[in-house]
Amino acid sequence: MNVAIVGASGAVGQEFLRILAERDFPIDNLVLFGSERSAGKKYTFKGKDYEVKLLQHNDDFKDIDVAFTSAGGGTSKEFAETITKHGAVMIDNSSAFRMCDDVPLVVPECNAEDALNRPRNIIANPNCTTIMMVVVLKPLEALSHIKRIHIASYQSASGAGAAAMAELQQEYKELVNNEPVTVSKFPHQLAYNVIPQIDVFTDNGYTKEEMKMFNETRKIMHSDVRCSAMCVRVSSLRSHSESVWIETESPISVEDAQKAIAAAPGCTLKDDPANLVYPMPLETAGKDDVFVGRIRKDLADDCGLTFWLSGDQIRKGAALNAVQIAEYLHSVGQI
């Protein structure tokens, strides 16, 4: 298997290298690609050094079986044809193709089979907050159809990339030393703060991040569910959390919800509030599963259920989900 990583120097690109090694993904040849700024850098994978090549419009992808791309939507759009023209499957981590009718949007625990129908040989990786939420919604949907979702996200600095994580750390250092605070990657200072904006605002008052959750959830789950989101940047370094309220056609008991989530692939139930046991970003960072707790009935809705989840945005919210898509394709003989 010949594998390429586009955007190898970024936070997600680096996570691809770690996850591919951890999961012993079958790789015969690995090729790393990046921008002019990244070209020439070297990274170690399974004891061997690999040099980042400059991404160009040429035949570098001629023998590639699967390409993981995480270099931004503009790069994905510009190079999609170059990457796929010789038959490589492009698993894209940007938002460029997510809502295209001819591009499947896949979370393997929910709709792995959608990856088999890819007219453009492109598979889109969903938004990080959407991925983590639908992994938990899938076993609940099996109990009763979910009609409505209200969700408030608490998204760490990692969602804005490696430079944003570094900026948050730098801000805390500057504040401790009474120095001017660096603000570049976020619209406001993030240290000791929360920012009720992720991505730009749209005409309806919701941000693009919030609209992604509405649209992507429907596509992944093949559902008419309506999702209203408030996405907030918080000053944790890594791992996103979400507070989720769902309304189902029939009531779901807390016990049934707990059993379904505990048995679901990709989920870990951590729900013992009497002993202060619930998921937190400090503990979910670096983990593969989405952790779920605080499951309880919604006091405002007889058919409502509410819960809290936390998961590593760079792993399950990005790189791990993409690798799982490739693993599924490999298991069914498609790559």
Side-chain angles (χ1 to χ4, degrees):
M1 180 110 53
N2 298 327
V3 174
I5 298 175
V6 178
S9 297
V12 176
Q14 291 294 291
E15 200 68 26
F16 275 129
L17 290 172
R18 284 188 284 270
I19 290 173
L20 289 168
E22 288 171 8
R23 298 175 74 89
D24 201 23
F25 189 80
I27 297 177
D28 296 304
N29 295 295
L30 176 66
V31 188
L32 307 181
F33 292 95
S35 63
E36 290 184 357
R37 187 178 66 252
S38 299
K41 290 184 177 179
K42 292 184 178 180
Y43 297 103
T44 301
F45 178 77
K46 290 189 171 182
K48 182 179 176 182
D49 288 340
Y50 294 84
E51 184 172 320
V52 178
K53 299 178 65 173
L54 179 63
L55 181 64
Q56 301 179 81
H57 291 291
N58 55 23
D59 289 330
D60 278 346
F61 290 87
K62 186 174 182 180
D63 297 317
I64 297 297
D65 297 297
V66 58
F68 299 104
T69 56
S70 185
T75 299
S76 292
K77 288 179 179 178
E78 179 185 349
F79 285 91
E81 186 175 346
T82 296
I83 293 169
T84 60
K85 68 179 179 180
H86 294 295
V89 177
M90 175 179 173
I91 303 178
D92 184 53
N93 196 58
S94 79
S95 62
F97 305 106
R98 289 174 183 161
M99 297 313 298
C100 296
D101 291 339
D102 55 358
V103 175
L105 184 68
V106 177
V107 176
E109 292 90 342
C110 300
N111 64 329
E113 295 82 5
D114 286 2
L116 304 179
N117 181 20
R118 48 179 195 280
R120 297 165 64 180
N121 235 8
I122 301 171
I123 300 169
N125 217 32
N127 184 47
C128 52
T129 45
T130 305
I131 289 174
M132 294 190 294
M133 183 176 71
V134 298
V135 167
V136 181
L137 294 183
K138 178 67 173 180
L140 300 177
E141 173 73 16
L143 298 177
S144 178
H145 175 55
I146 300 168
K147 297 165 59 178
R148 293 182 185 85
I149 306 163
H150 292 87
I151 182 256
S153 71
Y154 304 80
Q155 297 179 224
S156 63
S158 64
M165 297 168 71
E167 180 174 305
L168 176 60
Q169 292 173 312
Q170 181 65 26
E171 285 182 354
Y172 278 117
K173 291 178 182 176
E174 291 165 345
L175 287 164
V176 168
N177 294 322
N178 293 315
E179 298 171 354
V181 176
T182 300
V183 178
S184 173
K185 296 298 179 182
F186 303 108
H188 303 279
Q189 173 187 314
L190 183 57
Y192 299 121
N193 196 21
V194 296
I195 303 172
Q197 177 192 352
I198 297 178
D199 214 322
V200 299
F201 287 97
T202 64
D203 291 342
N204 65 2
Y206 286 81
T207 64
K208 287 178 68 176
E209 183 86 354
E210 291 158 355
M211 292 309 301
K212 289 173 189 175
M213 297 201 73
F214 180 94
N215 293 313
E216 293 178 19
T217 300
R218 292 161 71 97
K219 183 173 180 178
I220 295 164
M221 298 187 70
H222 301 283
S223 171
D224 60 354
V225 66
R226 299 170 68 182
C227 177
S228 182
M230 167 69 88
C231 293
V232 181
R233 186 75 69 192
V234 298
S235 56
S236 59
L237 193 63
R238 182 161 170 163
S239 273
H240 291 353
S241 301
E242 303 173 19
S243 188
V244 185
W245 292 258
I246 62 170
E247 178 190 345
T248 52
E249 287 186 342
S250 302
I252 299 174
S253 71
V254 171
E255 294 74 19
D256 286 346
Q258 289 173 326
K259 289 177 183 177
I261 290 169
C267 293
T268 293
L269 184 69
K270 192 171 185 181
D271 193 11
D272 184 10
N275 290 302
L276 311 184
V277 175
Y278 31 70
M280 294 182 292
L282 277 176
E283 298 172 348
T284 61
K287 306 288 179 59
D288 287 348
D289 277 5
V290 178
F291 290 75
V292 188
R294 296 294 316 277
I295 301 172
R296 58 204 188 279
K297 296 295 292 184
D298 185 348
L299 297 179
D301 187 342
D302 290 341
C303 289
L305 201 68
T306 183
F307 55 88
W308 171 262
L309 67 84
S310 184
D312 191 311
Q313 171 273 338
I314 305 177
R315 291 184 74 88
K316 184 53 185 173
L320 174 62
N321 194 75
V323 172
Q324 289 174 316
I325 293 170
E327 289 174 338
Y328 170 75
L329 294 177
H330 182 61
S331 73
V332 296
Q334 292 239 344
I335 58 172

